Amino acid sequence: MSEKTPSWEAARRVVPPRARSPRRPSNVFVGQARRFDADLEAVAVARLDVVPEGARGVPESHALAPEASRVTWTARRGGRLPAGMRWRQEAESRFVVEFALAAGVRCLGLGELYRGSNRRGQTHVLFSSDDPTQTESTPRMYKAIPFLILEDGEQYVGLFVDSPAPQKWSLGNDLSELGRVELLTRRGFQLYVMGPASLPQVVGAYTALTGRSPLPPRWSLGHQQCRWSYPTEKRLLEVAREFRRRRIPCDAVVADIDYMDDYRVFTVSRERFPTFERMTAKLSRQGFRVVTILDPAVKRSRHDATYRSGTAHDVFCRTAAGDPYVAEVWAGKSHLPDFLREDVRKWWGEHLRFFDRMGVAGIWNDMNEPALFNEPAPLDTAVGELPPDDRQLFLQRPPEGPVGHFEVRNLYGSQMARAAYEALLEHRPNERPFVLSRSAYAGHQRFGAVWLGDNASWFEHLRLSIPMLIAMGLSGVPFCGADVGGFGHDADGELLARWYQVAIFYPFLRNHCALGKRPHEPWALGPETERHVKRLIEARYRLLPYFENLFHEHRATGAPLMRPLGWHAAGDATAREIDDEFFLGRDLLVTPIVHRGHSRRAVYLPAGKWHPFDGGEPLRGGRYHDVAIGYGTVPAFVREGAILPLVEPVQHSGEIAGADLTFCCFGRRAAGVYREDDGQSLDYQLGACDEWELEWARGELVAEPTQLGFGGARRRYFVSDGLHRWRIELPR
Ligand code: GLC
């Protein structure tokens, strides 16, 4: 640190307690701030690089996609920011960004927060945490995605503070007028302001910068069944058998921590899973994939091969005194690999070959905040400055040199997931990886899916899953879901049926339940619940081609799958404020019941005509309707003018390619795009995808091929106008 930079203590003197008074504290910044401009997909983007005195340039960004290096930035004189944003350094390790929040301006995105869509009225702490007591007062969650979208009528501005250091976003309520980001760093950061532009454009620009999700394997879009735990091979096989016996579609069964020996990573308990490899082979013949959990902590035990190898390769995070940091997690005393190091990610990746040998299809990364039983809240959120590096639990070693853990903590989960994603790509050439993660930083979408962690079996959590997942999509991560039925607490049939009515539209669909809680597999809560849930899961499978098309759209434009109503009805002020409905793509509007005991609800339909998914007279939009929604109903409306590709119900996604597909045309004229690929390989990246532009008019469907690189599925195609169905050939 240079002499000019005030010490931490000196900075505190510069900013005495009255800093908390309304008078703006002085700016103690003496480093370098440089402003750049670029156009990202037709959106004006301003970037500010803030390098504190003594730092060696801004630290490497882990948020940016490799393609972002091709963006041309033009340097601009003066460091002022657009959209009235102001910034200053208030203390040695505290930076502040402020912006006006007029009444009526809404704050969207900002990753995973326990809140409705509008994040105003609370202070959100971005410091990855494992806090399962999720309530209104929970200030911080598992993920940290510092990208906020300001909505002012039909105008949107994106604000991205690219720094994995602790951040506090105080978003004044509707009657206060200030938004304030407090960032605790000594290394500097980059700040981006995007827009003003439309909402799809702002998200397009943000994902052009931080990357887009690759196409997931088709099987991972099917239904997955999990529980903590199916503790034996016998039990996991039984669960899979039940799905087939009851003819409830399912693609994956998931093994939680009890498959391991003594909770040691990269092991299998041979007592409980004597023939794990034979089990996965058998399940695969029945159309099931197996996903296993994987925690980052490696048990400190001389008997453990991963521990010995990790010690030999010096992969573990060390304290300032030089000793490997001791974390307490499931396995007891453990060490944490430093995933910020490329050599460590490679080392971890080599260990993942274990799962190739076991026949495991997907990796579920958990506890990767990292969760520490011995330090559940490692940083007091009230702190106004960063402790010195040697008082941040341990150090990490990115290429630019050692740094205290807190300043990079928010990267831990994504970098662990990245290690798995890159390893699977390498070990299984030409197979799409499936990697699920609990913690995430900006740009995580490049490495796979996320879920919302330990929710509870409450209607409150079902209700909130909608704005929370919409926000994940607006924050760049489209492949997301929440534990269906709720993780903690006990679910009942009504909750489960209502939950599936929403969850069949989650991009990631997994039923999960905590240890000791009442089981809630689709059949566990009685035959009536089972009947409804089965029908709903069947609807999900009928929609799989639609989901796959939406992932293609995301790749092209950055659009999430779950979208707030304002996405497609920007000029409709009523639509913009709705939190308990959402669009799945452009053509489906989901309108579920999210309150116990309710059988009907007020459904708001934006302009246009809307057809009930299960059939019936269309309703006119631009107003509310009182709609009854039974438990087995698919609670959605199809936009008039849409062409929805639906397949016949199947038992698992492996049967999709051969299943009859019907283009359901809504209204007298309709249009759409339909794409098809093999659902599993990476060939789509080389153009192995077929694409048609569809037009429906005067009772005829015209399909114009715009790309023919895949060569076609083995299925028959039909057209339906709601009354009749007839077969067609797709021109190739
Ligand atoms: C964590 C996960 C949960 C998992 C449990 C046991 O709480 O969030 O999904 O079942 O650990 O591994």
Side-chain angles (χ1 to χ4, degrees):
M1 199 168 299
S2 102
E3 294 201 330
K4 273 199 210 145
T5 312
S7 70
W8 187 28
E9 291 74 18
R12 283 196 96 92
R13 280 197 295 278
V14 176
V15 190
R18 74 188 151 75
R20 313 260 174 230
S21 81
R23 281 242 315 270
R24 200 193 299 171
S26 41
N27 187 4
V28 300
F29 183 71
V30 283
Q32 268 213 15
R34 298 179 64 202
R35 157 98 191 259
F36 300 86
D37 285 350
D39 240 35
L40 273 172
E41 308 207 340
V43 175
V45 179
R47 185 185 100 200
L48 186 79
D49 293 4
V50 177
V51 183
E53 182 89 326
R56 277 171 282 157
V58 280
E60 183 196 343
S61 167
H62 288 78
L64 300 194
E67 307 83 73
S69 62
R70 292 202 295 267
V71 176
T72 319
W73 294 96
T74 316
R76 237 179 100 131
R77 288 169 74 84
R80 284 179 76 82
L81 290 170
M85 309 250 170
R86 300 180 298 264
W87 72 280
R88 61 180 177 274
Q89 182 176 10
E90 286 189 351
E92 192 250 342
S93 62
R94 183 170 72 244
F95 290 81
V96 165
V97 180
E98 276 177 354
F99 45 93
L101 276 180
V105 168
R106 289 163 27 95
C107 293
L108 312 178
L110 205 56
E112 179 186 53
L113 301 173
Y114 191 86
R115 274 267 121 172
S117 293
N118 187 356
R119 275 58 167 97
R120 286 189 74 165
Q122 200 178 331
T123 294
H124 307 286
V125 176
L126 304 191
F127 190 66
S128 309
S129 302
D130 169 29
D131 180 357
T133 48
Q134 294 167 28
T135 69
E136 275 262 345
S137 344
T138 305
R140 52 193 190 178
M141 302 281 293
Y142 309 94
K143 302 170 190 66
I145 305 189
F147 175 56
L148 183 82
I149 303 170
L150 298 169
E151 176 187 275
D152 188 359
E154 291 173 58
Q155 294 265 296
Y156 295 80
V157 169
L159 171 61
F160 174 36
V161 181
D162 188 8
S163 165
Q167 301 191 23
K168 210 187 267 184
W169 289 64
S170 307
L171 302 173
N173 66 55
D174 205 45
L175 298 176
S176 70
E177 299 205 328
L178 196 67
R180 176 186 158 99
V181 189
E182 203 174 280
L183 167 69
L184 304 187
T185 178
R186 297 196 175 91
R187 302 196 308 158
F189 58 98
Q190 287 180 311
L191 188 146
Y192 298 84
V193 184
M194 305 168 188
S198 71
L199 181 57
Q201 281 177 316
V202 169
V203 175
Y206 172 73
T207 53
L209 203 61
T210 57
R212 291 176 183 156
S213 170
L215 293 188
R218 181 174 294 149
W219 68 262
S220 68
L221 297 174
H223 184 262
Q224 304 197 22
Q225 181 63 48
C226 188
R227 133 134 256 185
W228 178 22
S229 267
Y230 298 127
T232 62
E233 183 171 317
K234 191 162 156 273
R235 183 76 190 109
L236 208 60
L237 286 165
E238 259 168 32
V239 169
R241 202 159 42 239
E242 266 329 274
F243 274 97
R244 293 296 180 257
R245 189 171 78 76
R246 295 167 187 270
R247 300 196 60 73
I248 302 173
C250 188
D251 263 89
V253 281
V254 185
D256 205 322
I257 44 177
D258 294 301
Y259 78 86
M260 290 183 267
D261 181 7
D262 202 17
Y263 300 138
R264 289 181 299 118
V265 292
F266 309 116
T267 67
V268 154
S269 158
R270 287 302 180 186
E271 207 179 300
R272 294 191 301 281
F273 289 82
T275 61
F276 198 101
E277 307 81 322
R278 288 229 311 266
M279 173 193 76
T280 49
K282 187 167 176 190
L283 286 168
S284 148
R285 287 192 295 277
Q286 298 166 7
F288 284 100
R289 301 307 206 275
V290 172
V291 175
T292 47
I293 200 169
L294 179 62
D295 295 338
V298 176
K299 187 178 177 75
R300 194 181 67 175
S301 155
R302 275 184 298 111
H303 306 295
D304 184 70
T306 314
Y307 168 78
R308 289 197 305 274
S309 155
T311 305
H313 288 85
D314 185 22
V315 302
F316 300 123
C317 299
R318 289 177 181 274
T319 63
D323 308 315
Y325 174 74
V326 181
E328 288 271 356
V329 205
W330 298 119
K333 293 199 173 2
S334 309
H335 294 324
L336 295 169
D338 185 357
F339 291 110
L340 276 186
R341 283 165 48 191
E342 192 183 350
D343 61 320
V344 175
R345 291 195 297 272
K346 286 228 153 67
W347 170 83
W348 186 256
E350 278 309 304
H351 280 80
L352 270 134
R353 289 192 192 277
F354 173 77
F355 295 114
D356 302 336
R357 293 195 294 276
M358 292 294 140
V360 167
I363 304 297
W364 164 24
N365 296 278
D366 190 26
M367 311 296 275
N368 55 353
E369 294 70 33
L372 306 168
F373 296 164
N374 47 326
E375 292 280 359
L379 179 68
D380 175 2
T381 55
V383 29
E385 292 181 60
L386 207 55
D389 275 352
D390 59 3
R391 301 232 324 265
Q392 298 185 22
L393 296 189
F394 51 87
L395 297 172
Q396 291 195 245
R397 285 189 279 152
E400 59 270 25
V403 53
H405 169 63
F406 294 166
E407 203 162 333
V408 286
R409 178 175 170 87
N410 289 338
L411 287 172
Y412 197 88
S414 281
Q415 293 304 301
M416 178 188 179
R418 173 184 176 185
Y421 179 76
E422 289 173 351
L424 294 188
L425 271 186
E426 193 184 315
H427 305 172
R428 307 171 185 182
N430 216 14
E431 195 181 313
R432 301 179 195 173
F434 174 69
V435 174
L436 175 68
S437 182
R438 191 168 74 174
S439 184
Y441 180 65
H444 189 94
Q445 59 271 19
R446 306 198 302 279
F447 314 125
V450 298
W451 94 108
L452 298 181
D454 297 348
N455 60 3
S457 302
W458 303 336
F459 271 86
E460 173 70 4
H461 281 181
L462 161 59
R463 207 158 34 241
L464 267 177
S465 73
I466 297 173
M468 287 175 77
L469 292 172
I470 287 176
M472 288 310 305
L474 294 180
S475 308
V477 187
F479 196 10
C480 53
D483 285 346
V484 180
F487 177 72
H489 204 58
D490 290 330
D492 56 48
E494 180 184 346
L495 177 70
L496 192 72
R498 289 303 189 201
W499 208 308
Y500 269 99
Q501 286 184 312
V502 180
I504 56 168
F505 300 103
Y506 292 167
F508 169 62
L509 169 61
R510 185 185 73 166
N511 178 317
H512 187 30
C513 177
L515 192 69
K517 302 299 167 203
R518 185 191 298 149
H520 60 242
E521 292 84 6
W523 55 84
L525 297 168
E528 214 185 330
T529 306
E530 176 181 349
R531 187 163 53 83
H532 298 311
V533 168
K534 175 177 177 187
R535 192 170 178 274
L536 292 164
I537 300 178
E538 283 170 356
R540 161 65 167 227
Y541 277 78
R542 300 198 63 203
L543 280 163
L544 276 191
Y546 183 65
F547 274 91
E548 293 190 68
N549 272 267
L550 291 178
F551 269 102
H552 276 283
E553 188 186 335
H554 165 79
R555 262 174 52 81
T557 66
L561 280 73
M562 285 175 72
R563 304 172 188 168
L565 266 54
W567 188 279
H568 291 295
D572 181 337
T574 305
R576 283 201 307 266
E577 287 188 6
I578 288 177
D579 250 10
D580 59 356
E581 300 180 15
F582 58 97
F583 278 110
L584 183 80
R586 191 189 61 130
D587 295 331
L588 277 183
L589 180 69
V590 182
T591 59
I593 285 199
V594 287
H595 291 274
R596 179 175 292 285
H598 288 201
S599 59
R600 43 198 321 121
R601 60 163 287 172
V603 166
Y604 184 76
L605 299 173
K609 250 189 183 175
W610 298 90
H611 298 250
F613 185 91
D614 284 334
E617 282 307 303
L619 299 180
R620 229 166 239 302
R623 66 178 83 144
Y624 277 98
H625 294 265
D626 175 33
V627 180
I629 300 174
Y631 291 107
T633 310
V634 175
F637 288 84
V638 188
R639 180 193 295 279
E640 172 143 316
I643 303 176
L644 210 58
L646 293 181
V647 284
E648 293 307 303
V650 293
Q651 289 304 296
H652 59 87
S653 68
E655 296 174 351
I656 292 268
D660 289 353
L661 183 140
T662 304
F663 294 108
C664 300
C665 303
F666 293 84
R668 282 210 271 208
R669 299 182 71 86
V673 179
Y674 174 66
R675 305 176 193 87
E676 216 164 60
D677 59 61
D678 66 20
Q680 53 189 6
S681 79
L682 301 169
D683 294 348
Y684 70 93
Q685 293 172 349
L686 306 169
C689 173
D690 295 341
E691 181 182 296
W692 293 268
E693 268 173 18
L694 307 174
E695 260 199 67
W696 161 253
R698 289 177 290 279
E700 204 192 333
L701 184 78
V702 177
E704 188 69 46
T706 43
Q707 178 180 337
L708 290 176
F710 165 48
R714 299 163 278 114
R715 60 159 63 115
R716 298 183 304 169
Y717 298 90
F718 296 84
V719 178
S720 162
D721 61 2
L723 291 173
H724 308 99
R725 192 175 97 123
W726 60 97
R727 192 162 170 198
I728 55 156
E729 294 296 329
L730 278 185
R732 294 183 194 274

